[in-house]
PDB file of all heavy atoms in Angstrom:
ATOM      1  N   GLU S  22     -42.347 -54.808   3.219  1.00 97.00           N
ATOM      2  CA  GLU S  22     -41.160 -55.471   3.684  1.00 97.00           C
ATOM      3  C   GLU S  22     -40.726 -54.921   5.045  1.00 97.00           C
ATOM      4  O   GLU S  22     -40.263 -55.662   5.924  1.00 97.00           O
ATOM      5  CB  GLU S  22     -40.000 -55.304   2.664  1.00 97.00           C
ATOM      6  CG  GLU S  22     -38.772 -56.101   3.018  1.00 97.00           C
ATOM      7  CD  GLU S  22     -37.745 -56.095   1.911  1.00 97.00           C
ATOM      8  OE1 GLU S  22     -38.005 -55.491   0.836  1.00 97.00           O
ATOM      9  OE2 GLU S  22     -36.670 -56.702   2.121  1.00 97.00           O
ATOM     10  N   GLN S  23     -40.907 -53.624   5.245  1.00 98.00           N
ATOM     11  CA  GLN S  23     -40.520 -53.030   6.513  1.00 98.00           C
ATOM     12  C   GLN S  23     -41.379 -53.544   7.662  1.00 98.00           C
ATOM     13  O   GLN S  23     -40.898 -53.689   8.766  1.00 98.00           O
ATOM     14  CB  GLN S  23     -40.638 -51.465   6.414  1.00 98.00           C
ATOM     15  CG  GLN S  23     -40.231 -50.774   7.712  1.00 98.00           C
ATOM     16  CD  GLN S  23     -38.821 -51.113   8.146  1.00 98.00           C
ATOM     17  OE1 GLN S  23     -37.921 -51.325   7.324  1.00 98.00           O
ATOM     18  NE2 GLN S  23     -38.628 -51.271   9.462  1.00 98.00           N
ATOM     19  N   ARG S  24     -42.648 -53.850   7.408  1.00 98.00           N
ATOM     20  CA  ARG S  24     -43.546 -54.394   8.437  1.00 98.00           C
ATOM     21  C   ARG S  24     -43.045 -55.770   8.876  1.00 98.00           C
ATOM     22  O   ARG S  24     -42.995 -56.087  10.070  1.00 98.00           O
ATOM     23  CB  ARG S  24     -44.976 -54.495   7.895  1.00 98.00           C
ATOM     24  CG  ARG S  24     -45.987 -55.284   8.761  1.00 98.00           C
ATOM     25  CD  ARG S  24     -46.494 -54.515   9.962  1.00 98.00           C
ATOM     26  NE  ARG S  24     -45.624 -54.557  11.093  1.00 98.00           N
ATOM     27  CZ  ARG S  24     -45.641 -55.524  12.062  1.00 98.00           C
ATOM     28  NH1 ARG S  24     -46.489 -56.512  11.982  1.00 98.00           N
ATOM     29  NH2 ARG S  24     -44.820 -55.448  13.061  1.00 98.00           N
ATOM     30  N   LEU S  25     -42.654 -56.609   7.909  1.00 98.00           N
ATOM     31  CA  LEU S  25     -42.114 -57.926   8.242  1.00 98.00           C
ATOM     32  C   LEU S  25     -40.796 -57.794   9.000  1.00 98.00           C
ATOM     33  O   LEU S  25     -40.557 -58.491   9.987  1.00 98.00           O
ATOM     34  CB  LEU S  25     -41.922 -58.776   6.988  1.00 98.00           C
ATOM     35  CG  LEU S  25     -41.383 -60.188   7.209  1.00 98.00           C
ATOM     36  CD1 LEU S  25     -42.318 -61.021   8.085  1.00 98.00           C
ATOM     37  CD2 LEU S  25     -41.153 -60.879   5.873  1.00 98.00           C
ATOM     38  N   ALA S  26     -39.948 -56.878   8.575  1.00 98.00           N
ATOM     39  CA  ALA S  26     -38.657 -56.689   9.233  1.00 98.00           C
ATOM     40  C   ALA S  26     -38.851 -56.203  10.656  1.00 98.00           C
ATOM     41  O   ALA S  26     -38.143 -56.588  11.570  1.00 98.00           O
ATOM     42  CB  ALA S  26     -37.803 -55.691   8.437  1.00 98.00           C
ATOM     43  N   GLU S  27     -39.833 -55.310  10.864  1.00 98.00           N
ATOM     44  CA  GLU S  27     -40.137 -54.785  12.222  1.00 98.00           C
ATOM     45  C   GLU S  27     -40.593 -55.926  13.104  1.00 98.00           C
ATOM     46  O   GLU S  27     -40.156 -56.038  14.273  1.00 98.00           O
ATOM     47  CB  GLU S  27     -41.272 -53.721  12.090  1.00 98.00           C
ATOM     48  CG  GLU S  27     -41.748 -53.181  13.459  1.00 98.00           C
ATOM     49  CD  GLU S  27     -42.953 -52.315  13.274  1.00 98.00           C
ATOM     50  OE1 GLU S  27     -43.953 -52.729  12.612  1.00 98.00           O
ATOM     51  OE2 GLU S  27     -42.949 -51.207  13.805  1.00 98.00           O
ATOM     52  N   ALA S  28     -41.467 -56.809  12.573  1.00 98.00           N
ATOM     53  CA  ALA S  28     -41.932 -57.942  13.372  1.00 98.00           C
ATOM     54  C   ALA S  28     -40.781 -58.856  13.742  1.00 98.00           C
ATOM     55  O   ALA S  28     -40.664 -59.273  14.899  1.00 98.00           O
ATOM     56  CB  ALA S  28     -43.022 -58.668  12.589  1.00 98.00           C
ATOM     57  N   ALA S  29     -39.951 -59.176  12.757  1.00 98.00           N
ATOM     58  CA  ALA S  29     -38.821 -60.071  13.030  1.00 98.00           C
ATOM     59  C   ALA S  29     -37.868 -59.460  14.058  1.00 98.00           C
ATOM     60  O   ALA S  29     -37.299 -60.143  14.923  1.00 98.00           O
ATOM     61  CB  ALA S  29     -38.083 -60.353  11.739  1.00 98.00           C
ATOM     62  N   GLY S  30     -37.701 -58.136  13.982  1.00 98.00           N
ATOM     63  CA  GLY S  30     -36.848 -57.433  14.936  1.00 98.00           C
ATOM     64  C   GLY S  30     -37.329 -57.579  16.363  1.00 98.00           C
ATOM     65  O   GLY S  30     -36.569 -57.749  17.316  1.00 98.00           O
ATOM     66  N   ARG S  31     -38.655 -57.520  16.559  1.00 98.00           N
ATOM     67  CA  ARG S  31     -39.190 -57.654  17.899  1.00 98.00           C
ATOM     68  C   ARG S  31     -38.972 -59.061  18.434  1.00 98.00           C
ATOM     69  O   ARG S  31     -38.677 -59.261  19.616  1.00 98.00           O
ATOM     70  CB  ARG S  31     -40.686 -57.312  17.922  1.00 98.00           C
ATOM     71  CG  ARG S  31     -40.981 -55.800  17.897  1.00 98.00           C
ATOM     72  CD  ARG S  31     -42.392 -55.516  18.414  1.00 98.00           C
ATOM     73  NE  ARG S  31     -42.659 -54.080  18.426  1.00 98.00           N
ATOM     74  CZ  ARG S  31     -43.227 -53.419  17.434  1.00 98.00           C
ATOM     75  NH1 ARG S  31     -43.622 -54.041  16.319  1.00 98.00           N
ATOM     76  NH2 ARG S  31     -43.415 -52.107  17.535  1.00 98.00           N
ATOM     77  N   VAL S  32     -39.117 -60.051  17.568  1.00 98.00           N
ATOM     78  CA  VAL S  32     -38.883 -61.426  17.983  1.00 98.00           C
ATOM     79  C   VAL S  32     -37.410 -61.579  18.416  1.00 98.00           C
ATOM     80  O   VAL S  32     -37.121 -62.152  19.470  1.00 98.00           O
ATOM     81  CB  VAL S  32     -39.202 -62.429  16.852  1.00 98.00           C
ATOM     82  CG1 VAL S  32     -38.757 -63.847  17.210  1.00 98.00           C
ATOM     83  CG2 VAL S  32     -40.691 -62.394  16.498  1.00 98.00           C
ATOM     84  N   ARG S  33     -36.493 -61.061  17.637  1.00 98.00           N
ATOM     85  CA  ARG S  33     -35.076 -61.196  17.941  1.00 98.00           C
ATOM     86  C   ARG S  33     -34.710 -60.451  19.214  1.00 98.00           C
ATOM     87  O   ARG S  33     -33.872 -60.922  19.993  1.00 98.00           O
ATOM     88  CB  ARG S  33     -34.245 -60.737  16.750  1.00 98.00           C
ATOM     89  CG  ARG S  33     -34.379 -61.646  15.525  1.00 98.00           C
ATOM     90  CD  ARG S  33     -33.595 -61.092  14.354  1.00 98.00           C
ATOM     91  NE  ARG S  33     -33.871 -61.911  13.168  1.00 98.00           N
ATOM     92  CZ  ARG S  33     -34.284 -61.442  12.008  1.00 98.00           C
ATOM     93  NH1 ARG S  33     -34.466 -60.104  11.844  1.00 98.00           N
ATOM     94  NH2 ARG S  33     -34.511 -62.224  10.971  1.00 98.00           N
ATOM     95  N   ARG S  34     -35.297 -59.286  19.419  1.00 98.00           N
ATOM     96  CA  ARG S  34     -35.017 -58.546  20.657  1.00 98.00           C
ATOM     97  C   ARG S  34     -35.450 -59.315  21.886  1.00 98.00           C
ATOM     98  O   ARG S  34     -34.759 -59.322  22.927  1.00 98.00           O
ATOM     99  CB  ARG S  34     -35.657 -57.162  20.612  1.00 98.00           C
ATOM    100  CG  ARG S  34     -34.929 -56.177  19.709  1.00 98.00           C
ATOM    101  CD  ARG S  34     -35.337 -54.734  19.981  1.00 98.00           C
ATOM    102  NE  ARG S  34     -36.747 -54.509  19.663  1.00 98.00           N
ATOM    103  CZ  ARG S  34     -37.201 -54.205  18.478  1.00 98.00           C
ATOM    104  NH1 ARG S  34     -36.377 -54.164  17.441  1.00 98.00           N
ATOM    105  NH2 ARG S  34     -38.498 -53.963  18.258  1.00 98.00           N
ATOM    106  N   LEU S  35     -36.608 -59.944  21.815  1.00 98.00           N
ATOM    107  CA  LEU S  35     -37.089 -60.738  22.935  1.00 98.00           C
ATOM    108  C   LEU S  35     -36.156 -61.940  23.153  1.00 98.00           C
ATOM    109  O   LEU S  35     -35.802 -62.309  24.293  1.00 98.00           O
ATOM    110  CB  LEU S  35     -38.489 -61.184  22.749  1.00 98.00           C
ATOM    111  CG  LEU S  35     -39.128 -61.937  23.924  1.00 98.00           C
ATOM    112  CD1 LEU S  35     -39.008 -61.179  25.214  1.00 98.00           C
ATOM    113  CD2 LEU S  35     -40.577 -62.304  23.635  1.00 98.00           C
ATOM    114  N   GLY S  36     -35.709 -62.568  22.058  1.00 98.00           N
ATOM    115  CA  GLY S  36     -34.764 -63.677  22.214  1.00 98.00           C
ATOM    116  C   GLY S  36     -33.483 -63.241  22.859  1.00 98.00           C
ATOM    117  O   GLY S  36     -32.931 -63.954  23.729  1.00 98.00           O
ATOM    118  N   ALA S  37     -33.016 -62.067  22.505  1.00 98.00           N
ATOM    119  CA  ALA S  37     -31.763 -61.559  23.111  1.00 98.00           C
ATOM    120  C   ALA S  37     -31.969 -61.240  24.591  1.00 98.00           C
ATOM    121  O   ALA S  37     -31.084 -61.496  25.383  1.00 98.00           O
ATOM    122  CB  ALA S  37     -31.354 -60.273  22.350  1.00 98.00           C
ATOM    123  N   TRP S  38     -33.160 -60.737  24.947  1.00 97.00           N
ATOM    124  CA  TRP S  38     -33.445 -60.449  26.368  1.00 97.00           C
ATOM    125  C   TRP S  38     -33.435 -61.739  27.169  1.00 97.00           C
ATOM    126  O   TRP S  38     -32.792 -61.768  28.237  1.00 97.00           O
ATOM    127  CB  TRP S  38     -34.802 -59.796  26.495  1.00 97.00           C
ATOM    128  CG  TRP S  38     -35.210 -59.482  27.910  1.00 97.00           C
ATOM    129  CD1 TRP S  38     -34.872 -58.397  28.655  1.00 97.00           C
ATOM    130  CD2 TRP S  38     -36.020 -60.313  28.766  1.00 97.00           C
ATOM    131  NE1 TRP S  38     -35.437 -58.470  29.917  1.00 97.00           N
ATOM    132  CE2 TRP S  38     -36.155 -59.631  29.996  1.00 97.00           C
ATOM    133  CE3 TRP S  38     -36.700 -61.527  28.562  1.00 97.00           C
ATOM    134  CZ2 TRP S  38     -36.900 -60.149  31.065  1.00 97.00           C
ATOM    135  CZ3 TRP S  38     -37.433 -62.032  29.660  1.00 97.00           C
ATOM    136  CH2 TRP S  38     -37.534 -61.357  30.861  1.00 97.00           C
ATOM    137  N   THR S  39     -34.061 -62.765  26.686  1.00 97.00           N
ATOM    138  CA  THR S  39     -34.086 -64.020  27.458  1.00 97.00           C
ATOM    139  C   THR S  39     -32.705 -64.617  27.568  1.00 97.00           C
ATOM    140  O   THR S  39     -32.338 -65.177  28.627  1.00 97.00           O
ATOM    141  CB  THR S  39     -35.050 -65.044  26.813  1.00 97.00           C
ATOM    142  OG1 THR S  39     -34.617 -65.368  25.497  1.00 97.00           O
ATOM    143  CG2 THR S  39     -36.463 -64.537  26.795  1.00 97.00           C
ATOM    144  N   ALA S  40     -31.905 -64.540  26.460  1.00 96.00           N
ATOM    145  CA  ALA S  40     -30.542 -65.075  26.518  1.00 96.00           C
ATOM    146  C   ALA S  40     -29.657 -64.312  27.517  1.00 96.00           C
ATOM    147  O   ALA S  40     -28.884 -64.925  28.263  1.00 96.00           O
ATOM    148  CB  ALA S  40     -29.908 -65.031  25.129  1.00 96.00           C
ATOM    149  N   ALA S  41     -29.847 -63.024  27.537  1.00 95.00           N
ATOM    150  CA  ALA S  41     -29.060 -62.203  28.479  1.00 95.00           C
ATOM    151  C   ALA S  41     -29.424 -62.519  29.941  1.00 95.00           C
ATOM    152  O   ALA S  41     -28.578 -62.643  30.808  1.00 95.00           O
ATOM    153  CB  ALA S  41     -29.252 -60.726  28.212  1.00 95.00           C
ATOM    154  N   ARG S  42     -30.709 -62.676  30.183  1.00 94.00           N
ATOM    155  CA  ARG S  42     -31.181 -63.054  31.523  1.00 94.00           C
ATOM    156  C   ARG S  42     -30.657 -64.417  31.917  1.00 94.00           C
ATOM    157  O   ARG S  42     -30.287 -64.629  33.103  1.00 94.00           O
ATOM    158  CB  ARG S  42     -32.703 -63.007  31.611  1.00 94.00           C
ATOM    159  CG  ARG S  42     -33.313 -61.614  31.530  1.00 94.00           C
ATOM    160  CD  ARG S  42     -32.832 -60.725  32.719  1.00 94.00           C
ATOM    161  NE  ARG S  42     -33.156 -61.323  33.977  1.00 94.00           N
ATOM    162  CZ  ARG S  42     -34.270 -61.138  34.686  1.00 94.00           C
ATOM    163  NH1 ARG S  42     -35.191 -60.327  34.195  1.00 94.00           N
ATOM    164  NH2 ARG S  42     -34.482 -61.730  35.843  1.00 94.00           N
ATOM    165  N   ALA S  43     -30.625 -65.362  31.006  1.00 92.00           N
ATOM    166  CA  ALA S  43     -30.147 -66.703  31.303  1.00 92.00           C
ATOM    167  C   ALA S  43     -28.643 -66.678  31.658  1.00 92.00           C
ATOM    168  O   ALA S  43     -28.183 -67.446  32.519  1.00 92.00           O
ATOM    169  CB  ALA S  43     -30.371 -67.634  30.116  1.00 92.00           C
ATOM    170  N   ARG S  44     -27.875 -65.792  31.021  1.00 87.00           N
ATOM    171  CA  ARG S  44     -26.445 -65.718  31.271  1.00 87.00           C
ATOM    172  C   ARG S  44     -26.175 -65.072  32.636  1.00 87.00           C
ATOM    173  O   ARG S  44     -25.176 -65.423  33.288  1.00 87.00           O
ATOM    174  CB  ARG S  44     -25.779 -64.882  30.168  1.00 87.00           C
ATOM    175  CG  ARG S  44     -25.654 -65.592  28.837  1.00 87.00           C
ATOM    176  CD  ARG S  44     -24.701 -64.850  27.896  1.00 87.00           C
ATOM    177  NE  ARG S  44     -25.145 -63.491  27.637  1.00 87.00           N
ATOM    178  CZ  ARG S  44     -25.939 -63.155  26.595  1.00 87.00           C
ATOM    179  NH1 ARG S  44     -26.326 -64.080  25.787  1.00 87.00           N
ATOM    180  NH2 ARG S  44     -26.285 -61.907  26.407  1.00 87.00           N
ATOM    181  N   THR S  45     -26.974 -64.129  33.041  1.00 84.00           N
ATOM    182  CA  THR S  45     -26.619 -63.348  34.257  1.00 84.00           C
ATOM    183  C   THR S  45     -27.496 -63.699  35.462  1.00 84.00           C
ATOM    184  O   THR S  45     -27.080 -63.380  36.578  1.00 84.00           O
ATOM    185  CB  THR S  45     -26.869 -61.831  33.953  1.00 84.00           C
ATOM    186  OG1 THR S  45     -28.209 -61.601  33.588  1.00 84.00           O
ATOM    187  CG2 THR S  45     -25.952 -61.375  32.811  1.00 84.00           C
ATOM    188  N   GLY S  46     -28.596 -64.386  35.254  1.00 71.00           N
ATOM    189  CA  GLY S  46     -29.523 -64.564  36.380  1.00 71.00           C
ATOM    190  C   GLY S  46     -29.205 -65.733  37.272  1.00 71.00           C
ATOM    191  O   GLY S  46     -29.502 -65.697  38.493  1.00 71.00           O
ATOM    192  N   GLY S  47     -28.591 -66.780  36.743  1.00 71.00           N
ATOM    193  CA  GLY S  47     -28.357 -67.960  37.591  1.00 71.00           C
ATOM    194  C   GLY S  47     -29.674 -68.721  37.746  1.00 71.00           C
ATOM    195  O   GLY S  47     -30.764 -68.146  37.584  1.00 71.00           O
ATOM    196  N   ARG S  48     -29.570 -69.986  38.115  1.00 79.00           N
ATOM    197  CA  ARG S  48     -30.790 -70.773  38.228  1.00 79.00           C
ATOM    198  C   ARG S  48     -30.944 -71.263  39.672  1.00 79.00           C
ATOM    199  O   ARG S  48     -29.973 -71.777  40.283  1.00 79.00           O
ATOM    200  CB  ARG S  48     -30.784 -71.968  37.301  1.00 79.00           C
ATOM    201  CG  ARG S  48     -30.935 -71.564  35.828  1.00 79.00           C
ATOM    202  CD  ARG S  48     -31.038 -72.755  34.914  1.00 79.00           C
ATOM    203  NE  ARG S  48     -31.207 -72.355  33.513  1.00 79.00           N
ATOM    204  CZ  ARG S  48     -31.242 -73.176  32.480  1.00 79.00           C
ATOM    205  NH1 ARG S  48     -31.107 -74.477  32.709  1.00 79.00           N
ATOM    206  NH2 ARG S  48     -31.390 -72.725  31.263  1.00 79.00           N
ATOM    207  N   ILE S  49     -32.144 -71.120  40.204  1.00 88.00           N
ATOM    208  CA  ILE S  49     -32.472 -71.591  41.524  1.00 88.00           C
ATOM    209  C   ILE S  49     -33.610 -72.631  41.377  1.00 88.00           C
ATOM    210  O   ILE S  49     -34.582 -72.400  40.643  1.00 88.00           O
ATOM    211  CB  ILE S  49     -32.947 -70.436  42.411  1.00 88.00           C
ATOM    212  CG1 ILE S  49     -31.817 -69.386  42.526  1.00 88.00           C
ATOM    213  CG2 ILE S  49     -33.371 -70.927  43.799  1.00 88.00           C
ATOM    214  CD1 ILE S  49     -32.221 -68.128  43.280  1.00 88.00           C
ATOM    215  N   ALA S  50     -33.496 -73.746  42.073  1.00 91.00           N
ATOM    216  CA  ALA S  50     -34.528 -74.743  41.969  1.00 91.00           C
ATOM    217  C   ALA S  50     -35.855 -74.205  42.493  1.00 91.00           C
ATOM    218  O   ALA S  50     -35.865 -73.413  43.501  1.00 91.00           O
ATOM    219  CB  ALA S  50     -34.143 -75.999  42.788  1.00 91.00           C
ATOM    220  N   PRO S  51     -36.954 -74.561  41.860  1.00 94.00           N
ATOM    221  CA  PRO S  51     -38.260 -74.011  42.323  1.00 94.00           C
ATOM    222  C   PRO S  51     -38.694 -74.605  43.646  1.00 94.00           C
ATOM    223  O   PRO S  51     -38.368 -75.743  43.987  1.00 94.00           O
ATOM    224  CB  PRO S  51     -39.204 -74.469  41.192  1.00 94.00           C
ATOM    225  CG  PRO S  51     -38.551 -75.686  40.599  1.00 94.00           C
ATOM    226  CD  PRO S  51     -37.123 -75.425  40.707  1.00 94.00           C
ATOM    227  N   ASP S  52     -39.428 -73.792  44.377  1.00 94.00           N
ATOM    228  CA  ASP S  52     -40.050 -74.243  45.640  1.00 94.00           C
ATOM    229  C   ASP S  52     -41.385 -74.877  45.267  1.00 94.00           C
ATOM    230  O   ASP S  52     -42.378 -74.171  45.127  1.00 94.00           O
ATOM    231  CB  ASP S  52     -40.215 -73.076  46.585  1.00 94.00           C
ATOM    232  CG  ASP S  52     -40.965 -73.448  47.852  1.00 94.00           C
ATOM    233  OD1 ASP S  52     -41.223 -74.664  48.067  1.00 94.00           O
ATOM    234  OD2 ASP S  52     -41.321 -72.527  48.630  1.00 94.00           O
ATOM    235  N   LEU S  53     -41.451 -76.182  45.121  1.00 92.00           N
ATOM    236  CA  LEU S  53     -42.665 -76.861  44.681  1.00 92.00           C
ATOM    237  C   LEU S  53     -43.736 -76.867  45.773  1.00 92.00           C
ATOM    238  O   LEU S  53     -44.911 -77.063  45.469  1.00 92.00           O
ATOM    239  CB  LEU S  53     -42.346 -78.268  44.271  1.00 92.00           C
ATOM    240  CG  LEU S  53     -41.387 -78.425  43.065  1.00 92.00           C
ATOM    241  CD1 LEU S  53     -41.104 -79.891  42.767  1.00 92.00           C
ATOM    242  CD2 LEU S  53     -41.978 -77.735  41.840  1.00 92.00           C
ATOM    243  N   SER S  54     -43.353 -76.640  47.015  1.00 96.00           N
ATOM    244  CA  SER S  54     -44.340 -76.702  48.093  1.00 96.00           C
ATOM    245  C   SER S  54     -45.352 -75.538  48.051  1.00 96.00           C
ATOM    246  O   SER S  54     -46.429 -75.643  48.620  1.00 96.00           O
ATOM    247  CB  SER S  54     -43.623 -76.723  49.450  1.00 96.00           C
ATOM    248  OG  SER S  54     -43.007 -75.487  49.724  1.00 96.00           O
ATOM    249  N   ILE S  55     -44.963 -74.456  47.424  1.00 97.00           N
ATOM    250  CA  ILE S  55     -45.822 -73.263  47.421  1.00 97.00           C
ATOM    251  C   ILE S  55     -47.175 -73.563  46.720  1.00 97.00           C
ATOM    252  O   ILE S  55     -48.185 -72.951  47.026  1.00 97.00           O
ATOM    253  CB  ILE S  55     -45.136 -72.055  46.794  1.00 97.00           C
ATOM    254  CG1 ILE S  55     -45.877 -70.759  47.129  1.00 97.00           C
ATOM    255  CG2 ILE S  55     -44.980 -72.216  45.282  1.00 97.00           C
ATOM    256  CD1 ILE S  55     -45.147 -69.512  46.713  1.00 97.00           C
ATOM    257  N   GLY S  56     -47.137 -74.450  45.737  1.00 97.00           N
ATOM    258  CA  GLY S  56     -48.374 -74.749  45.020  1.00 97.00           C
ATOM    259  C   GLY S  56     -49.463 -75.357  45.887  1.00 97.00           C
ATOM    260  O   GLY S  56     -50.619 -74.905  45.866  1.00 97.00           O
TER     261      GLY S  56
END
């Protein structure tokens, strides 16, 4: 059970990281010409 809990915890931590970055980072339109 601890192995499953550890795995779920890593998923949730990554979700929290992305949510925090979305709140603080702001969005800039991509420069499509670079491609």
Side-chain angles (χ1 to χ4, degrees):
E22 186 172 358
Q23 182 55 38
R24 169 79 276 273
L25 180 61
E27 176 188 52
R31 283 200 178 94
V32 173
R33 293 177 185 126
R34 284 196 296 276
L35 183 54
W38 179 85
T39 60
R42 289 298 304 268
R44 287 193 300 269
T45 60
R48 290 185 180 176
I49 300 174
D52 175 8
L53 297 177
S54 68
I55 194 173

